Amino acid sequence: MKKRPSLSIVIPFLNEEAVLPLLRERLGNTAGFPEDWSLILVSDGSTDGSVEYVESWMREQPRVKLLELSRNFGHQAAVTAGLAFADGEYVAVMDADLQDSPDTLIEMYEIGKSGFDVVYAVREAREGSLFRRLCYSVFYRIYGRLAETPVHLDSGDFCLMSRKATDCLNSLPETVRFVRGLRSWIGLKTTSVAVRRPDRAAGESKYGFWKLMRLAAAGLTSFSTRPLRLAMALGFGLCLSAIGLGLFYLIKALIFDLHTAAPGFATLVVLLLFLNGTVMLLLGILGEYLAQIFLEVKRRPTYVVDRFVDLETESEDRSEG
Ligand code: UDP
Ligand code: MG
């Protein structure tokens, strides 16, 4: 049987031809990798020249492997696929755009070897638009309050995991994967390193606003049932206030004036809008969970592999994931 590499690095990419040469150069200039490290580049349905670039890179450096998904399944699915194929004693996940530094990865690897199963990066400072930073910060605060399991606040998917942690993560059954949530859910011996997150080295972000919103919804609904209970509490509170308000008006009318016309029109409209809005919001929350259940019960795989090419073992598999 083939010996496991000491370190496998999983990097998902979607149309990153502008970035991949910079990534290659940067990895080449980073000291501290073990002799037998390997790199698993997961193409998440790339349609530009990035796959061709990786193919030529592999021919020169057989430690580089290509895992090509059959179409774009999304970043989390691509990470999941990469983790399933990564066979290292330690497995790391990072982005292709050099927002995650290879030097930090080496630091994580050293920390991991000193006896940790999970080492993840915490973003102390982040570059990029104020709006985006605000969104991230608000999301993590809400997520931190709502999640019912331990949470790695302000951390993305950039991390290092031991074989044990990787196997454990891979064995989790859900189809909709919020990898950073699953990673904290498994527990084990965990620590973090603080990082500054620079802007991407080249190219455009592949995470648009709606993709980020979907990620946030998946994160919240897969790790918390509190929004549902919150909905119930809110509904209960509103009912009580409605009863209170009704009684108040009744008593007021009985004591002061039985013939009040309809001066409360504004109040009515405001209440009507507010209550309808609340009902819609609660339906939306229910819908999110329903969608999650719907996706899970279908039991479709998270991704489909078109091919896995490993020139070190000269194998090319065309298999389903
Ligand atoms: N990515 C991917 N599939 C997608 C979207 C993104 O594999 O559907 C990859 C992308 O190529 C990059 C990483 O995921 O390597 C992070 O994406 P990006 O840098 O665009 O997101 P951001 O850092 O802007 O949140
Ligand atoms: Mg990025």
Side-chain angles (χ1 to χ4, degrees):
M1 213 181 90
K2 193 176 153 262
K3 195 178 155 290
R4 284 186 185 288
S6 316
L7 173 67
S8 305
I9 305 174
V10 172
I11 304 187
F13 66 92
L14 168 64
N15 299 338
E16 300 284 13
E17 76 186 335
V19 154
L20 287 173
L22 303 175
L23 174 72
R24 179 177 178 178
E25 191 188 321
R26 185 72 182 279
L27 287 173
N29 290 335
T30 306
F33 283 112
E35 188 62 32
D36 58 346
W37 68 287
S38 75
L39 185 60
I40 297 173
L41 291 162
V42 187
S43 169
D44 185 19
S46 298
T47 48
D48 64 351
S50 16
V51 170
E52 287 72 30
Y53 182 81
V54 172
E55 279 169 344
S56 70
W57 184 0
M58 284 162 64
R59 280 192 288 275
E60 285 163 45
Q61 291 180 359
R63 70 167 86 251
V64 179
K65 340 252 163 210
L66 170 68
L67 179 62
E68 203 176 352
L69 303 187
S70 63
R71 63 169 172 85
N72 177 248
F73 283 89
H75 176 233
Q76 299 294 301
V79 170
T80 305
L83 288 175
F85 279 76
D87 57 349
E89 285 299 340
Y90 283 89
V91 177
V93 177
M94 67 187 270
D95 286 352
D97 57 6
L98 290 175
Q99 286 194 286
D100 304 327
S101 144
D103 294 307
T104 310
L105 197 154
I106 297 299
E107 193 187 325
M108 288 170 157
Y109 179 56
E110 295 302 328
I111 297 175
K113 278 197 299 185
S114 75
F116 286 94
D117 288 299
V118 178
V119 187
Y120 64 94
V122 173
R123 295 149 181 183
E124 273 206 325
R126 181 196 278 282
E127 287 171 18
S129 80
L130 186 68
F131 176 68
R132 226 181 150 85
R133 280 183 320 199
L134 194 74
C135 284
Y136 275 112
S137 176
V138 168
F139 168 72
Y140 279 113
R141 298 301 79 71
I142 297 179
Y143 180 65
R145 288 215 161 260
L146 292 181
E148 283 140 359
T149 48
V151 168
H152 299 166
L153 274 184
D154 293 309
S155 72
D157 295 317
F158 184 27
C159 70
L160 175 105
M161 290 181 289
S162 65
R163 188 72 249 156
K164 181 158 85 177
T166 312
D167 287 342
C168 189
L169 196 109
N170 288 343
S171 72
L172 298 178
E174 52 247 85
T175 311
V176 181
R177 317 282 289 193
F178 185 59
V179 177
R180 63 200 73 166
L182 297 174
R183 184 187 69 209
S184 54
W185 182 89
I186 58 176
L188 296 175
K189 213 164 167 227
T190 302
T191 186
S192 62
V193 291
V195 293
R196 281 189 63 82
R197 192 156 160 89
D199 237 341
R200 60 162 43 234
E204 299 267 298
S205 171
K206 309 297 178 301
Y207 255 109
F209 181 72
W210 292 113
K211 248 189 192 176
L212 271 181
M213 283 296 145
R214 238 183 340 204
L215 180 70
L220 284 175
T221 49
S222 38
F223 287 95
S224 176
T225 50
R226 281 191 188 142
L228 287 171
R229 269 177 267 141
L230 211 73
M232 200 153 78
L234 196 67
F236 193 65
L238 279 172
C239 282
L240 274 186
S241 347
I243 293 172
L245 206 66
L247 281 177
F248 171 74
Y249 280 131
L250 190 72
I251 292 168
K252 193 174 150 225
L254 283 176
I255 296 178
F256 298 108
D257 184 5
L258 274 174
H259 304 291
T260 331
F265 188 67
T267 326
L268 257 181
V269 172
V270 169
L271 270 182
L272 207 75
L273 272 182
F274 177 70
L275 290 179
N276 272 322
T278 317
V279 172
M280 289 291 200
L281 184 84
L282 302 188
L283 273 178
I285 294 177
L286 271 181
E288 271 305 319
Y289 283 94
L290 196 68
Q292 182 93 325
I293 297 168
F294 174 67
L295 291 172
E296 292 296 344
V297 291
K298 282 193 290 187
R299 285 266 140 265
R300 283 193 196 139
T302 309
Y303 55 87
V304 174
V305 171
D306 181 11
R307 60 186 180 134
F308 178 61
V309 192
D310 180 352
L311 295 181
E312 233 166 2
T313 56
E314 296 290 337
S315 69
E316 173 155 351
D317 288 340
R318 282 188 174 269
S319 52
E320 292 217 340

